Amino acid sequence: ENQDYVGFDTITQQMERKFLKRGFNFNVILVGESGMGKSTLVNSIFASHLVDSQGRRTAQEVIRKTTEISPVTQTLEENGVRVKLTIIDTPGFGDQCNNEGCWVPVIKYIKDQHAAYLERELKPQRDRVISDTRVHACLYFLNPGNRGLRPLDVEVLKRLTEVTNVIPVIAKSDSMTVDERTVFKRRIKEELAFHRIAVYPYASDEDDDEDRALNASIKELVPFAVVGSEEIIEIDGKAIRGRRHGWGVINIFDESHSDFVHLRNFLLRTHLSDLVEVTAQRHYEQFRTSQLRQIKELRAQQAAAAAAGQSGMPAPSVPLPHQPTMAQA
Amino acid sequence: MKFDTYEVTLEEEGTRISLTVIDTPGFGDGLDNTGCFKQLQDYIEAQFDEVLVEESRIKRNRRYRDHRIHALIYFIAPTGHSLRELDIELIRRLGEYVNILPVVGRADTLTVEELAVFKQNITRDLEYYKLPVYNFCWDDSDSEALEENREIMGLMPFSVVTCDEVLDNEYGSVRVRRYPWGTIEIDDESQCDFALLRYILLNSHIADMINFTEDVLYENYRTRKLEVGGFGEAEDEEENEGAEQEPAASKSQE
């Protein structure tokens, strides 16, 4: 053995072993009106039936009046690596005649997870590993029947991009011809820029040339025009995931048919850890900073009030301004 | 929501149709869409009111052009689920003013099975919520036509796919939509109901829809309006009676 070889390059294997033992959490929220293909897409990406479509199908089912938050957790394993995957569906979002405020429960849920994490982080005696329920990615579903962003999309995207990583997708893109797809994507990109809506991925100082090239190619594709399918059909003796029409068969893995492979690789093969990291370092930190500032101001106000008023009274403990409503395990 | 009007004259083998198409860009696109219904209702009523005024004139214009709306084509988004609140409210509110033909827009995004289930779900919703879509069987005097009309009702909502390109093949020109995985011919009845809808609208049922608009929808509106004493005129019973008598008097003179 080379005597000058120190061996610190084995840290990657050491980290990998630790990671394998610990596993990790990955939380994705789905936002879009019903019938946009949300559940089918998610089930296609993870190649298993994780979520059921929550759309209304029978006449007797009541039409939802508000946006519900519906998380489903499942542990998946691949080559010894375990992921505790939580998919949060938002049935009722954008489905009413009047959609004012339909985003409130969604934003609240995302902030609640930041708040829950902060609360555990601030505890004097805290867990070695805090279970991470923070939302790492938001798939925002655009309707290919519209010309571009609707007023609702603009309102919601502005708010969502402030609290989580947003990835816009067109799930049922098989209703668009190639030209229509190109025009729609260009229009969406223009409108996102016009409204200064910053979707993921973000540029970072740490990016090297390879990162920049990859991110540039991702930005070219956004919004991802995908087709999802849970059905396996046979073409030329091969079993593929697709959709069979009278005029042709769509293969969701075919890059000329849909951006599915690009989206799946982006989400899970190239940017998975970045999504988790950016959630912690950017969105969570922003939340934490604003919360702690508010606490500081509140404390200052109360101290001033206590000094001016009663003496000998201890300053009351200050609760977090944003109170989480769910008890996190 | 705006109203964009397009007028065109169609002529075929001696028959001339003066066709007016009104598009409503912006419908359902806003944050709060509840105002759209009133806008549409006002628009349709305005056409009725014009006729009402014209009918009651002492001296009527022989060349009067009637702008009443004979059909409303309502595009349902191809979700594959069932009707949304917007769909239900629109049909419920406007069904008494205009003949509503529900269609599934961009139906080529659904497979044959998905479309069949979707149509079934929508039909159940139409029944459950008692939504007033156009009843093809309103005139039950002709039993032969009744059978055909029942069949047509059974196909509602009509699946439509719009033409993107016109290709030339050995049979002539074909209207299509081209995808990387295949090409759909929109006039092919096995692939969508476009050809049928076109036939109904511009050929077989054009008279039926005009008649229903004039004989039933407009008459109901007129009765309601005159009973309430509307028109912005004085609510004097005698004056109203005079208005009702006048058209009858003019008719007897012709």
Side-chain angles (χ1 to χ4, degrees):
Chain A
E1 205 199 62
N2 180 2
Q3 286 186 346
D4 289 336
Y5 171 66
V6 175
F8 61 76
D9 64 350
T10 61
I11 187 163
T12 48
Q13 288 144 12
Q14 297 171 39
M15 286 174 74
E16 197 180 311
R17 258 199 299 276
K18 252 218 170 100
F19 208 74
L20 278 173
K21 272 197 287 182
R22 194 183 293 172
F24 69 103
N25 289 7
F26 190 52
N27 310 315
V28 180
I29 193 165
L30 312 174
V31 180
E33 25 180 278
S34 76
M36 290 293 105
K38 304 193 289 287
S39 6
T40 305
L41 181 62
V42 161
N43 294 339
S44 306
I45 291 175
F46 291 98
S48 61
H49 189 85
L50 296 174
V51 291
D52 291 319
S53 166
Q54 304 252 30
R56 186 182 74 93
R57 284 184 167 83
T58 63
Q60 288 75 17
E61 266 175 75
V62 175
I63 296 179
R64 288 191 176 86
K65 292 284 173 206
T66 56
T67 308
E68 290 167 27
I69 303 293
S70 167
V72 167
T73 303
Q74 196 167 326
T75 302
L76 301 180
E77 187 173 323
E78 215 171 47
N79 295 325
V81 179
R82 277 189 328 277
V83 61
K84 191 170 153 204
L85 181 64
T86 300
I87 306 292
I88 303 118
D89 199 356
T90 53
F93 173 84
D95 283 340
Q96 287 94 43
C97 288
N98 183 355
N99 288 311
E100 292 270 8
C102 69
W103 54 82
V104 171
V106 179
I107 302 296
K108 181 172 189 306
Y109 176 85
I110 297 172
K111 282 188 168 173
D112 279 354
Q113 310 318 307
H114 287 313
Y117 197 91
L118 182 59
E119 199 179 328
R120 287 196 296 265
E121 215 184 40
L122 290 175
K123 277 211 291 243
Q125 273 272 53
R126 57 189 186 185
D127 302 323
R128 207 162 60 88
V129 178
I130 299 175
S131 179
D132 191 1
T133 63
R134 295 172 297 188
V135 174
H136 303 119
C138 168
L139 293 178
Y140 190 80
F141 289 76
L142 296 169
N143 187 341
N146 297 131
R147 285 197 189 284
L149 295 180
R150 291 171 306 161
L152 176 64
D153 298 326
V154 173
E155 284 304 308
V156 180
L157 285 169
K158 277 187 178 165
R159 292 174 167 83
L160 278 174
T161 48
E162 282 173 6
V163 292
T164 187
N165 301 319
V166 177
I167 300 164
V169 303
I170 311 154
K172 287 188 177 178
S173 66
D174 57 345
S175 69
M176 294 195 291
T177 61
V178 172
D179 289 338
E180 286 168 354
R181 217 188 290 169
T182 311
V183 169
F184 189 77
K185 283 192 183 192
R186 192 187 328 135
R187 180 91 184 234
I188 297 292
K189 281 201 257 278
E190 282 168 8
E191 291 179 357
L192 287 174
F194 176 79
H195 291 286
R196 288 202 251 270
I197 294 169
V199 298
Y200 181 85
Y202 314 110
S204 150
D205 304 325
E206 284 176 17
D207 285 345
D208 60 21
D209 287 333
E210 205 183 304
D211 293 328
R212 266 190 287 271
L214 183 58
N215 281 353
S217 70
I218 299 293
K219 278 193 138 46
E220 243 329 281
L221 282 172
V222 163
F224 292 89
V226 295
V227 181
S229 175
E230 293 191 65
E231 210 185 306
I232 314 288
I233 49 187
E234 217 184 85
I235 311 180
D236 302 329
K238 274 192 303 172
I240 52 113
R241 265 182 197 267
R243 290 173 63 68
R244 191 186 295 277
H245 287 292
W247 48 92
V249 180
I250 305 175
N251 176 356
I252 71 171
F253 292 107
D254 186 333
E255 283 173 35
S256 67
H257 292 185
S258 116
D259 298 334
F260 177 79
V261 172
H262 294 289
L263 174 64
R264 193 232 8 228
N265 293 353
F266 166 63
L267 203 55
L268 300 179
R269 296 187 190 180
T270 58
H271 287 69
L272 182 53
S273 73
D274 189 59
L275 282 164
V276 174
E277 222 177 82
V278 169
T279 302
Q281 288 170 2
R282 178 181 168 126
H283 299 292
Y284 172 69
E285 282 302 311
Q286 255 173 30
F287 178 84
R288 181 180 173 280
T289 303
S290 90
Q291 288 289 285
L292 295 185
R293 262 206 199 112
Q294 285 180 49
I295 293 176
K296 202 167 157 192
E297 278 168 25
L298 264 168
R299 279 216 175 106
Q301 283 171 20
Q302 281 173 334
Q310 314 92 333
S311 54
M313 292 259 306
S317 71
V318 186
L320 285 175
H322 181 95
Q323 276 296 347
T325 49
M326 287 161 51
Q328 299 300 321
Chain B
M1 183 179 77
K2 327 184 272 157
F3 294 92
D4 285 343
T5 309
Y6 306 89
E7 287 176 18
V8 67
T9 306
L10 305 175
E11 186 151 2
E12 212 175 59
E13 284 161 25
T15 314
R16 194 189 293 171
I17 302 173
S18 169
L19 177 68
T20 305
V21 176
I22 304 132
D23 192 7
T24 54
F27 173 81
D29 280 350
L31 270 174
D32 182 358
N33 297 302
T34 48
C36 289
F37 309 124
K38 181 86 181 18
Q39 248 187 296
L40 286 162
Q41 184 181 323
D42 286 348
Y43 188 89
I44 297 172
E45 283 185 347
Q47 319 308 324
F48 281 172
D49 285 339
E50 263 187 37
V51 173
L52 206 44
V53 165
E54 182 55 32
E55 256 188 7
S56 338
R57 278 201 216 288
I58 297 173
K59 191 156 185 197
R60 291 193 289 190
N61 178 5
R62 244 181 312 157
R63 293 217 198 85
Y64 175 71
R65 283 280 305 279
D66 172 358
H67 296 289
R68 285 176 292 192
I69 311 224
H70 302 117
L72 186 154
I73 304 176
Y74 185 68
F75 286 80
I76 299 169
T79 62
H81 298 176
S82 40
L83 294 180
R84 296 168 304 161
E85 191 182 43
L86 191 71
D87 306 329
I88 293 171
E89 280 305 299
L90 180 120
I91 301 174
R92 182 182 275 162
R93 292 200 205 197
L94 295 185
E96 65 179 296
Y97 297 100
V98 65
N99 299 324
I100 299 181
L101 299 172
V103 306
V104 176
R106 293 180 299 119
D108 52 349
T109 192
L110 298 168
T111 62
V112 169
E113 297 85 18
E114 287 168 350
L115 181 61
V117 170
F118 191 41
K119 281 193 178 190
Q120 218 175 49
N121 293 346
I122 291 175
T123 305
R124 287 205 201 110
D125 265 351
L126 293 175
E127 284 163 18
Y128 184 82
Y129 288 98
K130 302 209 196 13
L131 297 178
V133 294
Y134 178 62
N135 177 11
F136 283 83
C137 306
W138 67 271
D139 181 2
D140 45 15
S141 53
D142 184 345
S143 57
E144 213 181 271
L146 199 57
E147 192 47 53
E148 190 194 275
N149 284 332
R150 279 210 193 97
E151 261 184 62
I152 293 176
M153 288 290 292
L155 283 170
M156 275 200 333
F158 305 109
S159 60
V160 295
V161 178
T162 52
C163 170
D164 206 46
E165 280 179 75
V166 182
L167 294 182
D168 289 313
N169 66 12
E170 62 265 28
Y171 304 111
S173 57
V174 185
R175 294 191 294 184
V176 300
R177 259 179 88 72
R178 249 200 298 200
Y179 293 107
W181 48 85
T183 299
I184 176 173
E185 290 177 29
I186 65 164
D187 291 305
D188 183 343
E189 283 185 24
S190 67
Q191 302 194 345
C192 72
D193 300 328
F194 172 75
L196 174 66
L197 178 66
R198 188 154 159 261
Y199 187 74
I200 290 170
L201 263 182
L202 297 179
N203 195 329
S204 59
H205 287 72
I206 192 171
D208 271 2
M209 289 194 288
I210 293 175
N211 290 341
F212 195 79
T213 304
E214 292 179 358
D215 297 346
V216 182
L217 298 175
Y218 168 73
E219 284 301 315
N220 288 345
Y221 176 77
R222 183 179 170 279
T223 306
R224 279 198 309 273
K225 201 82 195 258
L226 296 181
E227 274 172 359
V228 174
F231 261 167
E233 288 173 41
E235 278 166 322
D236 190 358
E237 254 194 329
E238 270 179 87
E239 236 177 86
N240 282 337
E241 259 181 59
E244 276 176 53
Q245 303 277 0
E246 220 134 41
S250 317
K251 266 197 184 124
S252 60
Q253 278 168 22
E254 276 166 37

